[in-house]
């Protein structure tokens, strides 16, 4: 496994932030199973957990106005380091109007052991939550969260709650789940009141 301190990298005009490698899941499709980076980046396994100050120092070397969007994603789950995420997002907000998105597994409440949805107010313009599958059973099989059974419900509840604080909340599934499961996922998204985005599965 190759490591580096790649805290940000560019994909298709967007700036992607890699603030942690921690994650409570072990998704079958996780790109971390396939290599050490993503989309041609340097290794995304971090030599150590960065502080917010280290991430901000990295961002200061870049022109943040020049990106289409700034995305917290990473080789890990960004809400595992919620305080760092919020501090870095506040810095970004203070220097640019570039939209901010958070890619998350939606398990922030279980990770942080509290109701975290209100903490996202003003932090980002969009939250993209991995729905992954339309039923609890399929979700557990694919996502393999350490929190077990409660995870699917917690993820749905987080989505329903966080849309009170974030303008755009999106569920994502990958196209390989098939038409029927995509339709069932769409019904779940509609019942929660969020959008569904079907993304192409691209193994690295
Ligand atoms: S939630 Fe994301 S980082 Fe975590 S295992 Fe799943 S795909 Fe990988």
């Amino acid at each position: 496994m190759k490591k580096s301190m790649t805290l940000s990298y560019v994909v298709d005009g967007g700036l992607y932030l890699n603030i942690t490698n921690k994650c409570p899941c072990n998704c079958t499709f996780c790109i971390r199973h396939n290599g050490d980076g993503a989309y041609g980046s340097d290794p995304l396994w971090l030599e150590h957990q960065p502080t917010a100050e280290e991430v901000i120092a990295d961002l200061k070397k870049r022109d943040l106005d020049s990106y289409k969007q700034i995305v917290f994603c990473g080789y890990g789950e960004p809400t595992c380091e919620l305080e760092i995420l919020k501090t870095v997002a506040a810095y970004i907000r203070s220097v640019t109007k570039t939209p901010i998105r958070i890619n998350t597994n939606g398990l922030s409440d279980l990770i942080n052991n509290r109701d975290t949805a209100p903490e996202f107010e003003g932090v980002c313009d969009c939250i993209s939550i991995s729905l992954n599958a339309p039923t609890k059973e399929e979700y557990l099989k694919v996502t393999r969260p350490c929190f077990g059974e409660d995870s699917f419900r917690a993820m749905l509840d987080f989505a329903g709650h966080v849309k009170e604080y974030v303008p755009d909340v999106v569920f994502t599934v990958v196209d390989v789940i098939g038409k029927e499961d995509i339709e069932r996922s769409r019904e779940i998204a509609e019942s929660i009141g969020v959008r569904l985005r079907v993304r192409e599965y691209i193994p690295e």
Side-chain angles (χ1 to χ4, degrees):
M1 177 195 296
K2 289 193 193 124
K3 292 186 177 184
S4 71
M5 286 306 284
T6 307
L7 301 179
S8 60
Y9 56 100
V10 179
V11 179
D12 193 23
L15 184 66
Y16 284 65
L17 306 188
N18 180 33
I19 66 166
T20 186
N21 288 155
K22 295 175 195 165
C23 184
C25 300
N26 181 19
C27 300
T28 53
F29 57 81
C30 182
I31 54 172
R32 306 196 300 183
H33 299 310
N34 304 333
D36 296 323
Y39 309 106
S41 74
D42 288 334
L44 295 175
W45 293 114
L46 295 163
E47 288 158 5
H48 61 261
Q49 171 59 52
T51 61
E53 289 68 32
E54 281 178 275
V55 180
I56 290 168
D58 181 273
L59 295 182
K60 282 183 175 169
K61 295 180 205 149
R62 295 180 178 271
D63 173 9
L64 298 185
D65 288 334
S66 68
Y67 301 103
K68 283 197 289 203
Q69 57 179 344
I70 299 173
V71 184
F72 287 86
C73 64
Y75 241 38
E77 165 53 38
T79 64
C80 285
E81 289 294 349
L82 189 52
E83 295 311 314
I84 294 176
L85 188 162
K86 288 190 291 183
T87 303
V88 172
Y91 166 75
I92 296 168
R93 287 285 202 223
S94 74
V95 295
T96 184
K97 292 192 169 12
T98 302
I100 301 174
R101 189 177 88 210
I102 299 172
N103 288 352
T104 176
N105 57 28
L107 298 179
S108 178
D109 290 356
L110 294 178
I111 293 166
N112 294 289
N113 203 24
R114 63 180 188 268
D115 174 14
T116 58
E119 298 176 40
F120 288 88
E121 185 161 26
V123 166
C124 59
D125 303 279
C126 175
I127 290 200
S128 177
I129 301 172
S130 303
L131 176 63
N132 290 341
T135 65
K136 180 171 89 174
E137 291 70 26
E138 288 163 77
Y139 174 86
L140 290 174
K141 244 191 261 171
V142 170
T143 308
R144 303 185 290 192
C146 71
F147 305 112
E149 295 256 318
D150 293 342
S151 305
F152 188 63
R153 186 71 255 165
M155 180 268 298
L156 297 181
D157 288 347
F158 174 77
H161 194 188
V162 84
K163 76 179 165 60
E164 293 172 31
Y165 303 98
V166 174
D168 189 21
V169 179
V170 190
F171 274 152
T172 62
V173 293
V174 284
D175 54 3
V176 289
I177 67 172
K179 272 190 187 155
E180 204 176 297
D181 276 357
I182 288 172
E183 268 327 296
R184 289 155 76 202
S185 299
R186 202 177 304 283
E187 283 164 21
I188 289 188
E190 275 169 15
S191 73
I192 303 266
V194 303
R195 290 194 289 128
L196 181 76
R197 186 166 83 89
V198 182
R199 55 185 191 84
E200 188 186 355
Y201 176 60
I202 308 170
E204 279 286 298

